[in-house]
């Protein structure tokens, strides 16, 4: 969907997966294992508008151990893109540039510019984790994690809309 401030770019969003620790489900299953904290976790996919810095897409939660970033993107995000449209992401989304632009490793100007966008995205992810409910191990019913995550994402977005910049 095109926005008011559309500059004609075919790349409108940056995308990143972010993991959150949860209490180990019983019985144990490796599908929940997150390498980031060596324990159970859920992963969300978040897309941020490159032009405005506002979150425009949230997908999840997914069990960390069985859903990597690219698999999550292929499950829904790629279907939401217009023909010829793509997203900016880190190396976890490398798909041969079919839907994504990822770092080339050549340290070209465009890679440096894209790294600024990805850094802003990491700042957004950090803002989510500034909230104790997402920073600490989530010890409540797993089916409520999505509600908590989305409520916090809305609060962070309101702060951005009210002038609190990500950078």
């Amino acid at each position: 969907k095109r926005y008011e401030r559309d500059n004609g770019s075919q790349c409108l969003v940056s995308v990143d997966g972010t993991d959150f620790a949860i209490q180990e489900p019983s019985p144990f299953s490796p599908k929940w294992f997150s390498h980031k904290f060596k324990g159970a976790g859920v992963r969300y996919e978040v897309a941020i508008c490159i032009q405005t810095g506002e979150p425009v897409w949230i997908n999840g939660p997914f069990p960390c151990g069985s859903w990597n970033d690219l698999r999550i993107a292929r499950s829904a995000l790629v279907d939401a893109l217009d023909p010829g449209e793509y997203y900016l992401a880190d190396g976890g989304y490398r798909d041969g540039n079919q839907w994504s632009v990822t770092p080339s490793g050549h340290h070209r100007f465009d890679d440096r510019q894209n790294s600024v966008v990805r850094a802003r995205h990491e700042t957004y992810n950090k803002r989510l984790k500034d909230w104790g409910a997402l920073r600490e191990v989530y010890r409540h019913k797993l089916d409520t994690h999505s509600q908590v995550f989305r409520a916090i994402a809305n609060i962070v977005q309101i702060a951005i809309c009210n002038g609190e910049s990500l950078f």
Side-chain angles (χ1 to χ4, degrees):
K1 188 174 183 178
R2 296 289 177 189
Y3 299 94
E4 255 179 56
R5 293 196 247 176
D6 184 9
N7 65 2
S9 175
Q10 290 301 106
C11 184
L12 300 175
V13 296
S14 64
V15 176
D16 194 22
T18 184
D19 293 4
F20 299 92
I22 60 169
Q23 197 167 1
E24 190 72 53
S26 183
F28 172 81
S29 172
K31 78 177 191 175
W32 298 101
F33 187 77
S34 170
H35 293 282
K36 290 185 180 174
F37 15 80
K38 309 282 190 263
V42 292
R43 178 173 295 142
Y44 290 84
E45 175 182 69
V46 177
I48 295 179
C49 177
I50 291 173
Q51 293 178 325
T52 66
E54 294 180 27
V56 295
W57 174 274
I58 292 174
N59 190 13
F62 296 91
C64 288
S66 56
W67 286 83
N68 65 29
D69 290 340
L70 184 56
R71 182 177 179 201
I72 294 171
R74 288 179 174 168
S75 75
L77 179 63
V78 298
D79 293 330
L81 298 174
D82 289 337
E85 195 172 55
Y86 53 93
Y87 56 85
L88 179 66
D90 62 23
Y93 289 87
R94 194 160 281 130
D95 63 3
N97 293 336
Q98 188 173 2
W99 299 291
S100 67
V101 172
T102 57
S104 69
H106 297 298
H107 303 290
R108 298 183 319 228
F109 176 76
D110 57 332
D111 273 351
R112 289 191 302 274
Q113 292 297 102
N114 293 345
S115 71
V116 171
V117 173
R118 287 193 312 276
R120 180 178 67 177
H121 199 120
E122 292 298 335
T123 302
Y124 176 80
N125 291 348
K126 181 201 169 296
R127 291 274 179 89
L128 296 172
K129 294 173 184 180
D130 283 345
W131 292 79
L134 297 180
R135 180 179 56 246
E136 306 296 328
V137 174
Y138 192 77
R139 300 191 185 283
H140 307 283
K141 292 173 115 182
L142 187 55
D143 60 354
T144 63
H145 194 280
S146 178
Q147 293 170 316
V148 171
F149 178 85
R150 283 169 167 75
I152 291 171
N154 281 327
I155 293 168
V156 171
Q157 182 169 4
I158 289 168
I160 293 167
C161 289
N162 284 319
E164 195 175 299
S165 68
L166 286 176
F167 260 11

